[in-house]
Amino acid sequence: MDMKLFSVMCCLVFFGTTVFGATTSREVRSKTLDEDEDTYGELKDTDIQKDDYYDGDEDVEEEAPEEDNNVDLRITSQPQTIVKKLGDNVRLPCLVSPEKADPIRVWRKDTEVLYQGSVPVSGSRNMKIDNGFLHIQLRDVGDFGEYNCTLILNEHDNPFVVHKVLQQEEPRIISLTVDNEQSVLDIGDTLTLNCNATGAPRPRISWHKNNERLGTEGETFIIQSVKVKHAGSYRCLADNKIGKPAHDHIDIFINHKPIVNVEKYIVNSDHKSNVELVCHVSAYPPPAVLWQKNGMNLEQNEPKIKFANERNNQRNILLISDLQEEDFGDYTCLAQNNFGRSTQNVTVVKTPVVRHFQKPHNETKDAVLMWKVDSKQPISMHELQYRKKGEPNWKTVTPDVTNATEGDTYTIKYVLTGLDPGLYEARVRSQNIHGWSNYSPPLPFEGVLAKHTAHQKSKYHKKDQKGKDQKDMSLDTPAQHRSEESSLGASTHSGSVRRSPLSMQIFAVGAILFSLLVHVRQ
């Protein structure tokens, strides 16, 4: 019974304190207001400050200024160029600002008045006006042209906008020119080409050299400080996706001394056979081309000696028939013009000639070498030498001899096995009844890793796995620390939790209610 009395007293104290506190607060505020009134007198409405300042008669309404539709009236639509075909519809804008204004618009085509306001005047059988737009159905070529929209404001202020409606037109090259009309330039000059094209829509212009597209687009193409390589045929191409592109070309020449190259530096042949020697010459002005033997100019003497040229004298050919012993040896291709002369030598031999020594490739774990040999007489022996880079001695192997694959050309393939990793070089030669050929120039290649692939893979795998484990550890560590810190924080602060005053009030009310419930049940 004492416990019930204690619980009831706690409730009375709690609620009494709450009610008394609220009442006291109201009384204090009321008392403060009364004291203010006793000191300063009763407050009136006139003593309360007003935020809005007003000076004048409240009953007088301010008259709104008269609206002037012509004030700052302007056309906001921009001029347009529209490309269409017959049968299409066109909408031309003539919008104004402010939008609520409704001025008189006069529409004209060229000089003919079409509409004045909403009233059709002439030539408007296929046209209509709608909210500042002129709608046109293009029925014939006479509907293409310039359309003018003018606002009638006063005699001094009549803004307007002009639109162009053009008919689709295939591109056409008007002109392709070079600055100063100089198609022949010296090395170091500036090349400037200009291409003028028409069409609707306006065509895009691209540039090409010898059928290869260049990166430049636009009406002008410029190369600063030209070199020999810039000589050639330049083409201007205009395309607007209407019909076929139009194009034109111009040839550009660069003055320079001849540049001579031969197709084969060593040519294999045999007694009673024929031989063809070829040299390519590039020069401007076009050079004179001669063939020499032992420093003496050769004269055409058919059928023994014959000259020929192709591609505007760029490919020059010497044909020698029925070779005799004295016909073997060195020949010279000589080209000369006003800017200088150049030569290249070609040697005619009876021994084999090694060609096309291809860079080794790795189809399997081995190094595969391939090369070709020219020989009029049958090959009796091949020799392949190889060594590791930096070693003094060559290792020699003898590939099998097979029949010629195409005419007098032999194709040889050999596989090198058991190579250690590293950089190697190889050279080859062949033999026929006239003797051994010269060694080919050394060709570098790399020893394959296939022999130790498993070892390397295991090694690299372990290394990568170790790195991966370390990486995984480094990635997992922060999360693990955060987890540990979270657990540590929970255990450390569990015994000293701070509660707010509101929490304490709720706790007290809950305790009292729980106590009452227990005693009531008793």
Side-chain angles (χ1 to χ4, degrees):
M1 189 65 181
D2 294 337
M3 290 297 296
K4 292 182 178 180
L5 181 61
F6 175 77
S7 300
V8 172
M9 291 179 65
C10 288
C11 291
L12 292 175
V13 169
F14 175 79
F15 289 109
T17 303
T18 304
V19 174
F20 178 77
T23 304
T24 303
S25 177
R26 286 194 298 269
E27 290 178 352
V28 169
R29 288 196 299 270
S30 177
K31 182 177 180 181
T32 302
L33 182 59
D34 293 340
E35 291 176 355
D36 291 342
E37 291 181 353
D38 293 340
T39 303
Y40 301 105
E42 184 178 358
L43 293 177
K44 301 179 181 179
D45 291 340
T46 55
D47 296 324
I48 300 175
Q49 180 179 350
K50 296 182 179 179
D51 293 332
D52 297 330
Y53 177 79
Y54 179 75
D55 185 11
D57 189 356
E58 295 182 358
D59 297 331
V60 178
E61 294 183 0
E62 184 177 357
E63 296 183 358
E66 294 184 0
E67 183 177 357
D68 186 358
N69 290 335
N70 294 338
V71 175
D72 295 331
L73 190 61
R74 59 189 177 85
I75 296 177
T76 58
S77 299
Q78 298 299 315
Q80 296 182 9
T81 298
I82 302 173
V83 179
K84 294 289 185 178
K85 63 180 182 296
L86 288 175
D88 287 347
N89 294 319
V90 178
R91 189 175 76 155
L92 304 179
C94 186
L95 304 179
V96 300
S97 178
E99 296 180 1
K100 295 182 179 180
D102 189 19
I104 297 176
R105 298 175 175 86
V106 176
W107 282 96
R108 295 182 179 87
K109 181 189 179 298
D110 300 327
T111 58
E112 180 184 7
V113 178
L114 303 175
Y115 281 88
Q116 185 165 340
S118 59
V119 179
V121 178
S122 64
S124 56
R125 67 195 184 286
N126 56 331
M127 305 177 190
K128 67 177 182 178
I129 296 295
D130 180 23
N131 295 326
F133 288 89
L134 174 64
H135 297 261
I136 310 169
Q137 184 183 32
L138 303 173
R139 294 181 180 177
D140 56 54
V141 293
D143 294 329
F144 297 98
E146 290 189 354
Y147 289 82
N148 177 298
C149 174
T150 302
L151 304 185
I152 304 301
L153 303 181
N154 54 58
E155 61 179 343
H156 302 295
D157 186 13
N158 296 297
F160 64 91
V161 62
V162 177
H163 302 297
K164 294 181 180 180
V165 180
L166 304 179
Q167 186 177 13
Q168 288 182 351
E169 179 186 356
E170 293 185 0
R172 183 165 58 94
I173 303 293
I174 302 300
S175 63
L176 175 58
T177 60
V178 58
D179 273 9
N180 302 321
E181 298 182 354
Q182 295 292 328
S183 59
V184 179
L185 305 175
D186 292 327
I187 294 176
D189 288 348
T190 298
L191 171 64
T192 303
L193 300 176
N194 301 290
C195 182
N196 184 15
T198 62
R202 186 186 183 101
R204 169 180 282 185
I205 295 177
S206 58
W207 292 91
H208 305 250
K209 178 178 180 288
N210 299 332
N211 296 322
E212 179 181 352
R213 180 163 184 166
L214 305 173
T216 304
E217 292 187 354
E219 294 183 351
T220 303
F221 177 79
I222 300 176
I223 299 178
Q224 303 283 354
S225 187
V226 297
K227 300 178 176 59
V228 174
K229 66 180 181 179
H230 294 129
S233 181
Y234 288 83
R235 182 162 55 99
C236 162
L237 186 144
D239 186 13
N240 64 356
K241 308 302 180 183
I242 305 298
K244 294 182 179 180
H247 60 88
D248 197 1
H249 75 279
I250 187 172
D251 293 327
I252 299 299
F253 304 93
I254 309 296
N255 288 322
H256 65 96
K257 77 174 189 176
I259 300 174
V260 179
N261 291 293
V262 295
E263 286 189 356
K264 298 178 180 179
Y265 290 95
I266 304 177
V267 178
N268 170 264
S269 192
D270 203 359
H271 292 97
K272 305 296 182 178
S273 297
N274 302 330
V275 71
E276 179 181 275
L277 311 182
V278 181
C279 78
H280 296 268
V281 179
S282 170
Y284 195 84
V289 179
L290 301 174
W291 285 95
Q292 297 179 335
K293 175 83 163 59
N294 299 326
M296 301 294 295
N297 293 342
L298 294 177
E299 300 291 340
Q300 182 155 295
N301 181 19
E302 296 188 35
K304 178 68 176 179
I305 297 177
K306 182 180 178 180
F307 301 127
N309 56 71
E310 299 172 352
R311 296 187 306 214
N312 196 23
N313 293 331
Q314 293 184 11
R315 187 173 188 264
N316 295 268
I317 305 168
L318 169 61
L319 297 170
I320 307 175
S321 302
D322 191 25
L323 288 176
Q324 303 299 314
E325 187 64 30
E326 64 271 14
D327 294 325
F328 292 93
D330 295 332
Y331 290 80
T332 301
C333 176
L334 182 149
Q336 181 174 354
N337 66 6
N338 296 337
F339 292 89
R341 59 182 288 176
S342 299
T343 62
Q344 284 288 356
N345 292 331
V346 182
T347 303
V348 180
V349 298
K350 294 174 286 186
T351 55
V353 177
V354 178
R355 306 198 182 285
H356 309 299
F357 193 6
Q358 301 175 4
K359 186 174 182 179
H361 61 282
N362 301 334
E363 295 179 345
T364 60
K365 63 179 181 179
D366 305 316
V368 181
L369 306 181
M370 292 185 64
W371 67 98
K372 292 186 177 183
V373 177
D374 290 343
S375 179
K376 287 285 186 181
Q377 294 292 334
I379 297 292
S380 58
M381 187 175 183
H382 298 297
E383 183 179 276
L384 166 65
Q385 292 188 337
Y386 69 97
R387 65 183 177 185
K388 202 168 187 179
K389 201 75 171 177
E391 292 182 351
N393 299 322
W394 293 90
K395 296 179 182 179
T396 303
V397 294
T398 55
D400 294 335
V401 176
T402 57
N403 295 328
T405 54
E406 36 185 297
D408 300 323
T409 301
Y410 296 76
T411 300
I412 303 95
K413 179 178 179 180
Y414 192 82
V415 180
L416 288 174
T417 60
L419 295 178
D420 293 328
L423 187 63
Y424 288 78
E425 58 183 356
R427 63 182 186 179
V428 294
R429 66 173 182 170
S430 298
Q431 184 185 46
N432 64 12
I433 60 173
H434 296 293
W436 282 98
S437 68
N438 294 328
Y439 279 110
S440 66
L443 179 72
F445 67 97
E446 188 173 358
V448 296
L449 300 176
K451 180 181 177 182
H452 52 280
T453 299
H455 171 70
Q456 289 288 342
K457 183 175 181 181
S458 175
K459 178 180 178 181
Y460 293 147
H461 176 71
K462 291 180 180 179
K463 180 179 179 180
D464 292 344
Q465 185 64 35
K466 181 179 179 181
K468 181 178 179 182
D469 294 340
Q470 292 176 349
K471 182 178 181 181
D472 292 342
M473 289 178 63
S474 65
L475 290 173
D476 292 343
T477 299
Q480 183 180 359
H481 286 179
R482 286 194 297 270
S483 177
E484 292 175 354
E485 289 174 358
S486 177
S487 302
L488 180 60
S491 62
T492 302
H493 297 289
S494 61
S496 58
V497 178
R498 295 184 179 181
R499 294 188 176 91
S500 65
L502 178 61
S503 300
M504 295 185 67
Q505 292 179 6
I506 295 174
F507 177 79
V509 172
I512 294 171
L513 293 177
F514 178 79
S515 177
L516 286 174
L517 180 62
V518 171
H519 289 291
V520 169
R521 288 183 177 180
Q522 290 178 353

